[in-house]
Amino acid sequence: MRLKRKVALVTGGGQGVGRGIALALATEGAAVVITGRTESKLKDTAAEIAGRGGRAHTVVGDVCERSDVDHMVAQTLREFGALDVLVNNAQSSVQRRLEQTSYDDLELAYRSGPLATFHAMQAALPWLRESRGSVVNLGSSTAVQGDPTFASYAMAKEAIRGLTRVAAREWGTYGIRVNVICPAALSPAAELYLTAHPEHAERLAADIPLGRLGDPEEDIGRAVAALVSDDMAYLTGATLMLEGGRTLIG
């Protein structure tokens, strides 16, 4: 129960990596607010947390909208009275080759990724200063590797890493830690993609020294729980590669 009496806000917490992180934080004792666009998915995650004896609250909203992001933070404070951990997980994008990538593709990736992350961090700052809290932003090994067909996504994820480093320097004086994780996990989106592209699934497995994609809760969520706990209190501005060693081989 390393996170007992802590309050966490996880965007995109209804499925995949976000769900895994929310479950792991709740298991460690945190009260968790999970947000996303699909209420049924949020309710399912919240019910699972409650079934384990944890506390969860759901907020429906779109991180592309600044007013929705402000509402997510406000609801966290109204429900639990504090904010100690912010996890910016939500992200939308489309896959196309670089020459086919449009401005609309870039706008979608940027609005849901670095701009949403920026807005959430700004909205949460007063409360994170009060709690000397922790921010975890989501990067991607796909961006680090420069995988083909991921131009808009890679651009957005690397922008998030730049934002994270600046925040780590500026907010360290407040006692706030800001880090990035780059996960490779078997989320529903990853599963759909790999099912549709079996040749890529084989290549990906061969590129991961540990031989598998991570589990969203056991491999990614538990690492985030450790990262935001006092056990990692001296780490900020870092990128934690949670991808089974994939970027060692690319």
Side-chain angles (χ1 to χ4, degrees):
M1 301 293 283
R2 287 179 290 186
L3 303 179
K4 191 175 181 180
R5 293 186 293 275
K6 301 291 187 182
V7 176
L9 168 60
V10 180
T11 68
Q15 64 180 359
V17 169
R19 174 182 173 277
I21 292 171
L23 291 171
L25 294 177
T27 298
E28 288 286 353
V32 182
V33 175
I34 49 176
T35 76
R37 292 177 297 179
T38 307
E39 185 174 22
S40 60
K41 294 178 180 178
L42 299 177
K43 294 295 186 185
D44 287 346
T45 303
E48 187 166 355
I49 289 172
R52 299 183 185 186
R55 295 180 296 158
H57 181 67
T58 64
V59 181
V60 177
D62 185 348
V63 294
C64 290
E65 302 296 331
R66 176 65 192 256
S67 59
D68 283 10
V69 173
D70 290 341
H71 179 66
M72 293 169 189
V73 173
Q75 286 294 103
T76 302
L77 272 295
R78 192 174 91 169
E79 185 70 18
F80 294 120
L83 179 55
D84 304 278
V85 176
L86 171 64
V87 180
N88 287 301
N89 166 74
Q91 173 79 61
S92 298
S93 69
V94 296
Q95 267 187 263
R96 306 187 205 281
R97 292 194 63 82
L98 183 59
E99 63 269 22
Q100 298 168 338
T101 299
S102 69
Y103 179 83
D104 288 343
D105 298 338
L106 296 176
E107 184 176 41
L108 173 64
Y110 266 76
R111 286 185 64 198
S112 64
L115 284 179
T117 298
F118 168 74
H119 290 153
M121 289 169 64
Q122 277 196 335
L125 177 59
W127 316 105
L128 293 172
R129 286 184 66 171
E130 187 174 304
S131 65
R132 300 177 69 85
S134 183
V135 179
V136 178
N137 295 328
L138 272 284
S140 174
S141 62
T142 292
V144 174
Q145 293 282 82
D147 288 344
T149 75
F150 284 92
S152 60
Y153 181 77
M155 291 168 67
K157 288 303 188 183
E158 289 297 274
I160 289 171
R161 288 215 297 157
L163 170 63
T164 298
R165 291 191 291 269
V166 172
R169 284 184 175 271
E170 292 188 1
W171 292 1
T173 188
Y174 308 141
I176 300 171
R177 298 187 299 113
V178 191
N179 292 291
V180 170
I181 64 165
C182 290
L186 196 58
S187 65
E191 196 164 8
L192 282 173
Y193 174 77
L194 294 176
T195 300
H197 302 84
E199 73 289 348
H200 189 76
E202 292 177 13
R203 192 163 62 248
L204 182 62
D207 281 350
I208 298 177
L210 292 182
R212 63 179 178 85
L213 283 169
D215 179 82
E217 180 181 357
E218 295 299 315
D219 295 315
I220 311 304
R222 292 203 306 171
V224 172
L227 182 58
V228 301
S229 75
D230 290 341
D231 293 344
M232 303 288 277
Y234 200 54
L235 184 69
T236 194
T239 296
L240 188 61
M241 304 302 296
L242 300 175
E243 32 68 289
R246 176 175 180 251
T247 51
L248 296 173
I249 295 177

CSV table of all heavy atoms in Angstrom, one decimal, residues 208-229:
chain,number,residue,atom,x,y,z
A,208,ILE,N,12.0,-8.0,-29.4
A,208,ILE,CA,11.9,-7.8,-28.0
A,208,ILE,C,12.7,-8.8,-27.2
A,208,ILE,O,12.4,-10.0,-27.3
A,208,ILE,CB,10.4,-7.8,-27.5
A,208,ILE,CG1,9.6,-6.6,-28.2
A,208,ILE,CG2,10.4,-7.6,-26.0
A,208,ILE,CD1,8.2,-6.6,-27.8
A,209,PRO,N,13.8,-8.5,-26.6
A,209,PRO,CA,14.6,-9.5,-25.9
A,209,PRO,C,13.9,-10.3,-25.0
A,209,PRO,O,14.2,-11.5,-24.8
A,209,PRO,CB,15.7,-8.6,-25.2
A,209,PRO,CG,15.9,-7.4,-26.1
A,209,PRO,CD,14.5,-7.1,-26.6
A,210,LEU,N,12.9,-9.8,-24.3
A,210,LEU,CA,12.1,-10.6,-23.3
A,210,LEU,C,11.0,-11.4,-24.0
A,210,LEU,O,10.3,-12.2,-23.4
A,210,LEU,CB,11.5,-9.7,-22.3
A,210,LEU,CG,12.4,-9.0,-21.3
A,210,LEU,CD1,11.7,-8.2,-20.2
A,210,LEU,CD2,13.3,-10.1,-20.6
A,211,GLY,N,10.9,-11.2,-25.3
A,211,GLY,CA,10.1,-12.1,-26.1
A,211,GLY,C,8.6,-11.9,-26.1
A,211,GLY,O,7.8,-12.8,-26.6
A,212,ARG,N,8.1,-10.8,-25.5
A,212,ARG,CA,6.7,-10.6,-25.4
A,212,ARG,C,6.3,-9.2,-25.2
A,212,ARG,O,7.2,-8.4,-24.7
A,212,ARG,CB,6.1,-11.4,-24.2
A,212,ARG,CG,6.6,-11.0,-22.9
A,212,ARG,CD,6.1,-11.8,-21.7
A,212,ARG,NE,6.7,-11.3,-20.4
A,212,ARG,CZ,6.2,-10.3,-19.7
A,212,ARG,NH1,5.2,-9.6,-20.1
A,212,ARG,NH2,6.8,-10.0,-18.6
A,213,LEU,N,5.1,-8.8,-25.5
A,213,LEU,CA,4.6,-7.5,-25.2
A,213,LEU,C,4.2,-7.5,-23.7
A,213,LEU,O,3.8,-8.5,-23.2
A,213,LEU,CB,3.4,-7.1,-26.0
A,213,LEU,CG,3.7,-6.6,-27.4
A,213,LEU,CD1,2.5,-6.5,-28.3
A,213,LEU,CD2,4.5,-5.3,-27.4
A,214,GLY,N,4.3,-6.3,-23.0
A,214,GLY,CA,4.0,-6.3,-21.6
A,214,GLY,C,2.5,-6.4,-21.3
A,214,GLY,O,1.7,-6.1,-22.1
A,215,ASP,N,2.2,-6.8,-20.1
A,215,ASP,CA,0.9,-6.8,-19.6
A,215,ASP,C,0.5,-5.4,-19.1
A,215,ASP,O,1.3,-4.8,-18.3
A,215,ASP,CB,0.7,-7.8,-18.5
A,215,ASP,CG,-0.7,-7.8,-17.9
A,215,ASP,OD1,-1.6,-8.4,-18.5
A,215,ASP,OD2,-0.9,-7.1,-16.9
A,216,PRO,N,-0.6,-4.8,-19.5
A,216,PRO,CA,-0.9,-3.4,-19.1
A,216,PRO,C,-0.8,-3.1,-17.6
A,216,PRO,O,-0.4,-2.0,-17.1
A,216,PRO,CB,-2.3,-3.1,-19.6
A,216,PRO,CG,-2.3,-4.0,-20.9
A,216,PRO,CD,-1.6,-5.3,-20.4
A,217,GLU,N,-1.3,-4.1,-16.8
A,217,GLU,CA,-1.3,-3.9,-15.3
A,217,GLU,C,0.0,-4.4,-14.7
A,217,GLU,O,0.7,-3.6,-14.0
A,217,GLU,CB,-2.5,-4.5,-14.6
A,217,GLU,CG,-2.5,-4.3,-13.1
A,217,GLU,CD,-3.6,-5.0,-12.4
A,217,GLU,OE1,-4.5,-5.6,-13.1
A,217,GLU,OE2,-3.7,-4.9,-11.2
A,218,GLU,N,0.3,-5.6,-14.9
A,218,GLU,CA,1.5,-6.2,-14.2
A,218,GLU,C,2.8,-5.6,-14.6
A,218,GLU,O,3.7,-5.4,-13.7
A,218,GLU,CB,1.5,-7.7,-14.5
A,218,GLU,CG,0.3,-8.5,-13.9
A,218,GLU,CD,0.2,-8.3,-12.4
A,218,GLU,OE1,1.2,-8.5,-11.7
A,218,GLU,OE2,-0.9,-8.1,-11.9
A,219,ASP,N,3.0,-5.3,-15.9
A,219,ASP,CA,4.3,-4.8,-16.3
A,219,ASP,C,4.4,-3.3,-16.4
A,219,ASP,O,5.4,-2.7,-16.2
A,219,ASP,CB,4.6,-5.4,-17.7
A,219,ASP,CG,4.8,-6.9,-17.7
A,219,ASP,OD1,5.5,-7.4,-16.8
A,219,ASP,OD2,4.3,-7.6,-18.6
A,220,ILE,N,3.3,-2.7,-16.8
A,220,ILE,CA,3.3,-1.2,-17.0
A,220,ILE,C,2.7,-0.5,-15.7
A,220,ILE,O,3.4,0.4,-15.1
A,220,ILE,CB,2.5,-0.8,-18.2
A,220,ILE,CG1,2.9,-1.6,-19.4
A,220,ILE,CG2,2.7,0.7,-18.4
A,220,ILE,CD1,4.4,-1.5,-19.8
A,221,GLY,N,1.5,-0.9,-15.3
A,221,GLY,CA,0.9,-0.3,-14.2
A,221,GLY,C,1.7,-0.4,-12.9
A,221,GLY,O,1.8,0.6,-12.2
A,222,ARG,N,2.2,-1.5,-12.6
A,222,ARG,CA,3.0,-1.7,-11.4
A,222,ARG,C,4.3,-0.8,-11.4
A,222,ARG,O,4.8,-0.3,-10.4
A,222,ARG,CB,3.3,-3.1,-11.1
A,222,ARG,CG,2.1,-4.0,-10.7
A,222,ARG,CD,2.4,-5.2,-10.0
A,222,ARG,NE,3.4,-6.0,-10.7
A,222,ARG,CZ,4.0,-7.1,-10.1
A,222,ARG,NH1,3.7,-7.5,-8.9
A,222,ARG,NH2,4.8,-7.8,-10.8
A,223,ALA,N,4.9,-0.7,-12.6
A,223,ALA,CA,6.1,0.2,-12.7
A,223,ALA,C,5.7,1.6,-12.5
A,223,ALA,O,6.5,2.3,-11.8
A,223,ALA,CB,6.7,0.0,-14.1
A,224,VAL,N,4.5,2.1,-13.0
A,224,VAL,CA,4.1,3.4,-12.7
A,224,VAL,C,3.8,3.6,-11.2
A,224,VAL,O,4.2,4.7,-10.6
A,224,VAL,CB,2.9,3.8,-13.5
A,224,VAL,CG1,2.3,5.1,-13.1
A,224,VAL,CG2,3.2,3.8,-15.0
A,225,ALA,N,3.2,2.6,-10.6
A,225,ALA,CA,3.0,2.7,-9.1
A,225,ALA,C,4.3,2.9,-8.4
A,225,ALA,O,4.4,3.7,-7.4
A,225,ALA,CB,2.2,1.5,-8.6
A,226,ALA,N,5.3,2.2,-8.8
A,226,ALA,CA,6.6,2.4,-8.1
A,226,ALA,C,7.2,3.7,-8.4
A,226,ALA,O,7.8,4.4,-7.6
A,226,ALA,CB,7.6,1.3,-8.6
A,227,LEU,N,7.0,4.2,-9.7
A,227,LEU,CA,7.6,5.5,-10.1
A,227,LEU,C,7.1,6.6,-9.4
A,227,LEU,O,7.8,7.6,-9.0
A,227,LEU,CB,7.4,5.6,-11.6
A,227,LEU,CG,7.9,6.9,-12.3
A,227,LEU,CD1,9.4,7.0,-12.2
A,227,LEU,CD2,7.5,6.9,-13.8
A,228,VAL,N,5.8,6.6,-9.0
A,228,VAL,CA,5.2,7.8,-8.3
A,228,VAL,C,5.2,7.6,-6.8
A,228,VAL,O,4.8,8.5,-6.1
A,228,VAL,CB,3.7,8.0,-8.8
A,228,VAL,CG1,3.6,8.2,-10.3
A,228,VAL,CG2,2.8,6.8,-8.4
A,229,SER,N,5.8,6.5,-6.3
A,229,SER,CA,5.9,6.3,-4.9
A,229,SER,C,7.2,7.0,-4.4
A,229,SER,O,8.1,7.4,-5.1
A,229,SER,CB,5.9,4.8,-4.6
A,229,SER,OG,7.2,4.3,-4.9
